[in-house]
Amino acid sequence: MAVASWPVPGRARVHPPWTKQRTGFTVLLLVWLGVFIFSWRYIQMTFLTLFTGVGNIVHFLAQNFPPQFVNFAQTVNEAVITLGIAVLGTAFAFVLSVPVGLMAARNTTLHPAVRWVARAIIVACRSIPDLVFAIIFVEAIGIGVLPGVLALACHSVGMLGKLYAESIEQVAPGPTEAVKSTGATRWQQVTTGVVPQVLPSFASIALYRLDINLRSSVILGYVGAGGIGFLLNEYMGELQFRAAMGIVIVMFVLIVSMEMVAAVIRRSLIGMEAIPVSGGTASPGPTSNPWWLRWASRPRPADRLVARILPPKPAAAPDLVKSGGFNRETVRPPWTHLRIQRFSFLAGAIVAVAAAFVVTKTTPWQAFLALPAIWRTIVLYFPPNFQSGGSALSVGALQSLAVAVIATSAGYFFAVPIGLLAARNVSRPWVARTTRLFLVVLRAVPELILAIVFIVAVGLGLVAGTMALTVGTIGFVAKLVADGLEEVPQMPREAVLSVGATKVQETATSVILPTTPMLIGNGLYVLDVNFRSSTILGIVGGGGIGFLLQQSVSVLAYRTTGAIIIVTFAVVLMIEVIANWVRKHLI
Amino acid sequence: MGHSGETPRLGAARLSPGTPEDAGSRWTTEAVVQCERLSKRFGSTLALDSVDLAVPAGQMLAVLGLSGSGKSTLLRSFNGLVTPSEGRVKVLGCEVTSANSEHLRTLRRQVGFIFQQFGLVGRICVLENVLAGALGRVKYPRFGVLSYPRRLRLEAIGHLERVGLADRAFQRADTLSGGQQQRVAIARALMQRPVLLLADEPVASLDPESSAAVMELMLRISREDNLTVIASLHQVELARGWADRLIGLRDGRVVADAKPDEMNEQRLSEIYRRVAEGKMDGPPAPANAFTTALAG
Ligand SMILES: Nc1ncnc2c1ncn2[C@@H]1O[C@H](COP(=O)(O)OP(=O)(O)OP(=O)(O)O)[C@@H](O)[C@H]1O
Ligand SMILES: [Mg+2]
C-alpha cells in the first residue's frame, strides 16, 4: 500500500523553542531529581524494610486485638476537650487573623510599613509548627488546655491571616470606592464596603481550619497541652497497646464526625452564597477565586454524602420581600429565610465557642493573664545558642529536609495513579467510589498515628517518619489529583478520542496534561507542609530536627531550643520564597 | 446615635468668598465647581490637559467625549477620588487640591456620585446600601440596617420611595436588575443630601429603555431638589434633551463648550472626529457606532 504524497519532513522547526519558562521548568525538575537522590542516600532511605515491616504490623495488630476501651468515660471526656481545644484555638485565631489580615491586605492596610509587619507576623506564625508553640506555652503556663489553645491559635494565624488578606485584596473595588465617595471614613469604608463581601469566605476558611486544628490538637497532648493525645501518650508509654488502639478509634470517629458536621455547615454556607445574578454587573462574581480558595471550598466526599441524605434545596432563594414585608414605622428587617440562616450560623458559632470554654474550663481572660508568663519564657530562648549542638543542628535540619523531599516525591509517585483511580471521569464509577472512600479513611488517620504504626513496623528513626509522611502525602495529593482531574472539561477529550487515540493516550493528552501545572505548583506547598510535619514527627521518634527539639526541650536547654526553632523558621521561609518564585515565573 | 453624632455641613460655606490667598486669582464665588489649568497624568498618558471650567449653581452640564478622553478622570477629580497632577480644583468652596482628609470627607458628603457600575455592595440589602449614603453624617463603622438610628432608616425608606423601590428595601442588592441597582445608587446619593450630583456615564451599562427611565428619574429629582448636575454621557441626543450646557473633551482638553442649540455638527465633529480624518498623536480610541455616525 503506497502512501501517496504526504509532505516530506523538511527543515521546518518541529522542536518547541526553549522559552525562559520551559528552560526553568526543566532545570527545576533536574534540580529536584538531584535533591531527591541526595536525600535518599543521605538518610539511607529504603522502602524494602516495609515488606518485612508489614509482618510486624500484622503481628502487632493481631496481638493487640480487640482494642480496649479502658475508662471509656474519661476517653470521651478527653475527646470532647480535644474538640473544645480545636474550637477555641480556631476562634482565637479568627479574632487575631481579621485585624492581621486587614493590615496585611494592600487595599485596607494603614500604611505600607504596617503591611510588612503584618506579613512578617503571618509568615512567622506559619513557619513555627503548632507543636513548638505548644512546647513554649506549656513551659510558660504549665500543663493544661490553655497552652494547646494558644498554640493552635498562633499557628493558625499564619494560614488564616494570609488567606484573609488575599480574599480582601480580591474584593471588587467599585463598592468600596462608592462608599468612599459618600464621605465615609476609612473604617466605615472597610466595614461597609469590604467586610460584607469577604465574610462568607472568612467563615468557610475558618471552618476549614477547624478541621485541620482538630487533627493537630490530637498530638498536643503529647507535650502536655491537653486533650486525648495525653491519654494516647500515657498508654503507649505503659505499653498498653490495646487501650492505645481504643483511643485511636475514638480519635478516628471524632475526626470523621467533624468532617461530616463541617460538610453540613458548608452546605448551608453555600446556600447563603448563591447569588441570583439578574442583569446587574455590580459584582464580578467568584470566578476569579485563587486556587487555594477553590481548593479549600471544594466539594468533599462528606459533602456528597450529606447531599444524598438531605433533600436538595431549590437553588438560590432570593430574598423577595413584597411591600408590607416590613413595618414602615420601625423599618426593621423582616425575618427572611436568609436572615434566619445568618443568625443561626452566628448563634451556632457563639454557642460552640461558649461550650468549648465550658468543657475546657477556660476563660477568655486567662489568655491575657498568661501573657506576662509567656513573655518571660520567650525571653529565656534568647539569645539562641547555635553552638551547643555542634553540627547536630545542621545535620538534623538536613535530615528533616531530606525526609520532606522524599515523602513529597514518593507521595506524588503513589498519589498520581491512586488519584487517577479515584477520578470518576477516568476510571470506572465503582473503582472511583471505592478509592475515594479509601482516601477519606486515609486522611482521617492523623500523621502521628501513622508514625507510630511505621515505628512499630520498621523501628524508630527517619525511615519510619518518611513512610508516615509519604502516606499522609498520598492521602492529600491523591485527592488533589482526583479533584483536579474531575474539573477537566469534557470537550477536548472527545476531540482527542475522535482522532482515533486509545483510551490511555486520550487520558494522558487531555486529562493528565492539563492538571500537571496545578500539581507541580502545589508540590512545593506540600514540601513545606511536610517539612513542618517532619519536625513534629521527630518528637515521637521519627528522627531529624524534631528529635533534637524533643531532646533540648526535655533537658530544658532553652537557648538550644531557640536555635532549633530559628533554623526551622529559616528553612520554612526558604521553601516559601522558592515556592513563590517558582509559582510566579514558571507556572 | 442621634443628631449629636452628625458632623456640621459645609453647606453655608459653599458660596462664601475665597480665602485671602485666592485674592489674586480669578476664582468666582458663585461657581459650585471651578477648576483652573487642571491636569492629570497617569504614567505617560495625559488624561486631563489644562482644563479650565466653572460650573455655576443649578447648572446641568453634560460632558461628552470619546472613550478615554478623560471624562471619568475629570468627574473624579471633583470629589477627590483622583488627585490632580497640576492645577487647582475648588468645589463647594473647598479647595480639593489642598484639602486634608477631614475636609475631603466633608466635601464628599455633599457631592453625590453615580458610578457607571453602580458601586453597590452586593451582599447587603438595598436599604443598607442606601443607608451607606449617611455614613458621612454618623460616627463609627456600621454593621447591618439596625445599627443605623431609626430616623435615618425612615429617611432611607423615603428616598427609596422616590426612586420607586421601597418594596425592595430588604432584598439583597445583587438580586436587582441593572436599572434597579442604578436607582438604588441614586437613592444612596440622595441620602447624602447632596448639593452637587456627579454622574459618570450613569446609564452606560443599561439597555436603552431602562437608561431612559433612570436618566429621567435622576434629572427630575435633581430639578426638584435644585441640584447642580455634571454628567458624562455617550449619547449626544440624550444630553441635548436635558442639559443647559455641553462640553466636549478630546484627549483631556476641552474642545467644545456650548449651549445645547449651539452644539452643531461642526462642534460635534471636533469632539468625535474620526481618527482617520484627524491628525492625532495619541492611540486611536474607538468611538461607538452612534457617535461615529454622528461625526461622519
Ligand atoms: N487609574 C488609572 N491609571 C492609569 N491610567 C488611567 C487611570 N485612569 C484613567 N487612565 C487613563 O486616562 C485616560 C482617560 O481615562 P478616563 O477613564 O478618564 O476616560 P473616559 O473618558 O472616562 O473613558 P470612558 O468613556 O471609556 O469611560 C485613559 O487613557 C485611561 O487609560
Ligand atoms: Mg469613564
Side-chain angles (χ1 to χ4, degrees), chain B residues 42 45 47 65-74 116 200-201 234:
Chain B
F42 291 109
T45 33
L66 289 174
S67 191
S69 56
K71 304 183 294 294
S72 302
T73 311
L74 184 67
Q116 178 182 343
D200 185 14
E201 293 178 36
H234 273 310

Side-chain angles (χ1 to χ4, degrees), chain A residues 175 177-178 180-181 183-184 188 191 196-197 272-273 275 278 281-282 321 326 328-331 333-334 342, chain B residues 76 105 108 117 119-120 123 132 135 138 140-141 150 153-154 161 167 170 172 174-177 181 188 192:
Chain A
E177 192 177 40
K180 181 179 181 180
S181 80
Q188 288 173 333
T191 51
Q197 299 193 73
M272 297 204 284
E273 272 293 84
I275 306 167
S278 55
T281 40
V321 186
F326 61 95
R328 296 267 172 157
E329 284 303 306
T330 55
V331 204
R342 272 184 197 168
Chain B
R76 281 157 179 271
R105 276 206 304 279
R108 283 182 190 146
Q117 300 295 337
L120 297 189
R123 283 180 196 293
L135 281 174
V138 297
Y140 313 119
R150 193 168 76 98
R153 297 198 306 251
L154 282 170
E161 254 153 16
D167 56 334
F170 291 102
R172 244 173 78 155
D174 54 9
T175 62
L176 296 179
S177 73
Q181 293 198 24
R188 176 178 61 196
Q192 293 172 240

Side-chain angles (χ1 to χ4, degrees), chain A residues 29-307:
Chain A
L29 285 185
L30 288 177
V31 168
W32 183 279
L33 194 67
V35 171
F36 175 73
I37 292 172
F38 170 80
S39 307
W40 189 278
R41 305 180 67 151
Y42 190 70
I43 65 164
Q44 291 158 15
M45 181 62 197
T46 167
F47 276 99
L48 285 180
T49 44
L50 198 56
F51 291 106
T52 49
V54 169
N56 290 349
I57 297 177
V58 172
H59 183 69
F60 174 80
L61 289 180
Q63 224 178 14
N64 300 297
F65 197 84
Q68 224 175 23
F69 295 99
V70 232
N71 205 345
F72 191 65
Q74 192 200 0
T75 311
V76 170
N77 187 33
E78 289 296 331
V80 170
I81 290 179
T82 304
L83 189 60
I85 293 175
V87 169
L88 286 187
T90 313
F92 278 37
F94 180 83
V95 171
L96 293 173
S97 299
V98 171
V100 171
L102 281 170
M103 287 305 107
R106 198 177 305 112
N107 47 344
T108 50
T109 189
L110 286 174
H111 190 270
V114 178
R115 179 163 179 243
W116 284 108
V117 171
R119 286 165 61 116
I121 291 175
I122 288 171
V123 173
C125 287
R126 194 172 50 245
S127 50
I128 300 176
D130 35 21
L131 198 70
V132 171
F133 276 120
I135 288 170
I136 298 175
F137 295 154
V138 167
E139 189 64 45
I141 37 190
I143 287 176
V145 170
L146 191 61
V149 170
L150 294 181
L152 289 181
C154 289
H155 182 58
S156 304
V157 168
M159 178 180 124
L160 294 189
K162 178 175 191 227
L163 298 192
Y164 286 2
E166 281 178 21
S167 31
I168 293 170
E169 285 180 355
Q170 293 260 322
V171 151
T176 317
E177 192 177 40
V179 173
K180 181 179 181 180
S181 80
T182 69
T185 64
R186 197 189 179 84
W187 284 116
Q188 288 173 333
Q189 285 165 41
V190 171
T191 51
T192 306
V194 177
V195 172
Q197 299 193 73
V198 294
L199 222 44
S201 65
F202 275 22
S204 75
I205 292 168
L207 193 65
Y208 172 62
R209 184 68 216 185
L210 176 62
D211 216 26
I212 299 178
N213 278 349
L214 182 64
R215 281 157 217 256
S216 350
S217 68
V218 162
I219 200 183
L220 294 178
Y222 255 74
V223 294
I228 199 166
F230 155 74
L231 283 182
L232 186 67
N233 192 17
E234 209 171 67
Y235 290 141
M236 293 291 291
E238 295 164 4
L239 305 180
Q240 294 195 47
F241 294 120
R242 284 186 174 194
M245 269 165 74
I247 302 283
V248 170
I249 288 173
V250 172
M251 282 180 181
F252 185 82
V253 170
L254 184 65
I255 289 172
V256 171
S257 8
M258 181 67 221
E259 185 142 333
M260 294 296 298
V261 172
V264 174
I265 300 173
R266 236 192 327 272
R267 194 178 137 85
S268 60
L269 268 180
I270 290 168
M272 297 204 284
E273 272 293 84
I275 306 167
V277 184
S278 55
T281 40
S283 56
T287 44
S288 57
N289 278 345
W291 65 271
W292 51 262
L293 192 59
R294 274 182 280 130
W295 181 74
S297 53
R298 73 203 185 274
R300 306 191 211 181
D303 291 307
R304 281 187 207 127
L305 198 62
V306 168

Side-chain angles (χ1 to χ4, degrees), chain B residues 143-160:
Chain B
F143 281 111
V145 168
L146 289 179
S147 63
Y148 293 86
R150 193 168 76 98
R151 180 179 47 81
L152 288 180
R153 297 198 306 251
L154 282 170
E155 184 184 334
I157 287 285
H159 293 309
L160 275 176

